[in-house]
Amino acid sequence: MNRLRLGINVSIRVLFALVGGYAVANLGAVAFAALLPLSQVDAALVSVQVSFALYACVVVWVFTARNLWWAIVGPLGVAVFCSPVIILLLAERLG
């Protein structure tokens, strides 16, 4: 039974590292591009480069967290922080 629990734990971490890391990296890239005081092209290039580092940080976080709860809550906190920033900045630009 313990082996099954370990396998499920690792499987969930792998899935969350892939899907959650992708989501957090993209949300972070959009928020970072909107916050940078550069031209749109330069801001997009810089934010894409930063998103690769953010993705790697999420993967490291997911696999170094002591339990599964913190492995999921940490990146979700970043995503929850980035989402309102994106919404507010896009509403400001459109309105």
Side-chain angles (χ1 to χ4, degrees):
M1 186 66 180
N2 194 16
R3 199 167 197 178
L4 177 64
R5 179 177 280 166
L6 180 64
I8 291 172
N9 190 347
V10 171
S11 299
I12 291 172
R13 287 178 189 252
V14 167
L15 181 67
F16 194 76
L18 291 173
V19 177
Y22 179 78
V24 169
N26 283 326
L27 285 171
V30 171
F32 198 66
L35 290 173
L36 284 176
L38 301 172
S39 68
Q40 287 183 348
V41 174
D42 292 337
L45 289 173
V46 170
S47 66
V48 167
Q49 292 172 354
V50 169
S51 74
F52 288 117
L54 187 58
Y55 189 89
C57 289
V58 169
V59 170
V60 169
W61 174 272
V62 167
F63 284 104
T64 58
R66 288 191 180 260
N67 57 27
L68 191 58
W69 173 252
W70 284 112
I72 294 173
V73 169
L76 281 179
V78 174
V80 167
F81 175 74
C82 289
S83 297
V85 171
I86 294 169
I87 292 169
L88 290 174
L89 291 172
L90 290 178
E92 180 182 316
R93 285 191 180 185
L94 294 176

